[in-house]
Amino acid sequence: MTVSSETRSIFVTGLKNAHAMENQALSIMKPQVSRIETYPDVAARLEQHIRETEGQIKRLEEVLTGLSEDHSILKDMALSLTGSMAAISHSIAGDEIIKNSLANFAFENFEIAAYKSLITIAELGGFPGSAPALKANLDEEIAMARWLDDNLRSVTIKFASLKEAGMTAKI
């Protein structure tokens, strides 16, 4: 199968966007985990996902290198800045842990959709060698989204219980 230059361009742009997206994820998660005190299970899972995300970035860089491409420093910086701003805006909220939980769940599902699209382009565009790395990233995002979904109720209950008891309910 011959790969058109347009399909290759779509794939490379998607990979660069995914790389920037993962850098954005780090800029969101790292400030969160540094502030968590009352929710050790959330902190532990975020720390695990930070390590996974760092691995995802490496995989994306390997795929890009295999295509003789590099990530976009400008996109990386722009999305990292946006992620940092989101983390800051949640830190001043009285229900920071809830806002973070909701935003993280939404972001994980955005990442899942991005990887599903990239895998489709890889398969259709003649880049089957890229699919395993993208699938590994997808699997980690699905696992994180599932964990967030499974734990949203308990985080919310703990937050409400702490508030009712007059205790610090922030993260």
Side-chain angles (χ1 to χ4, degrees), residues 17 26 33 44 65 85 88 117 123-125 139 142 145 155 159 161:
N17 289 342
L26 288 177
V33 79
T65 299
M85 296 308 293
I88 290 169
S117 179
E123 292 167 348
L124 295 175
D139 290 344
I142 290 171
V155 167
F159 175 80
S161 297

Side-chain angles (χ1 to χ4, degrees), residues 39-53:
Y39 304 84
D41 52 335
V42 175
R45 187 60 179 99
L46 281 174
E47 287 170 353
Q48 177 187 340
H49 198 55
I50 286 169
R51 290 188 303 275
E52 291 170 347
T53 301

Side-chain angles (χ1 to χ4, degrees), residues 25-38:
L26 288 177
S27 71
I28 292 169
M29 289 185 292
K30 285 182 176 181
Q32 285 179 17
V33 79
S34 71
R35 293 176 45 79
I36 293 177
E37 296 175 9
T38 314

Side-chain angles (χ1 to χ4, degrees), residues 2 17-18 28 32 47 56 71 73 84 89 106 130 135-137 139 153 160 165 167 170:
T2 306
N17 289 342
I28 292 169
Q32 285 179 17
E47 287 170 353
Q56 292 168 8
H71 60 93
I73 294 171
S84 295
S89 70
S130 302
K135 178 76 167 85
N137 287 9
D139 290 344
R153 181 175 171 78
M167 300 172 66
K170 286 183 73 172

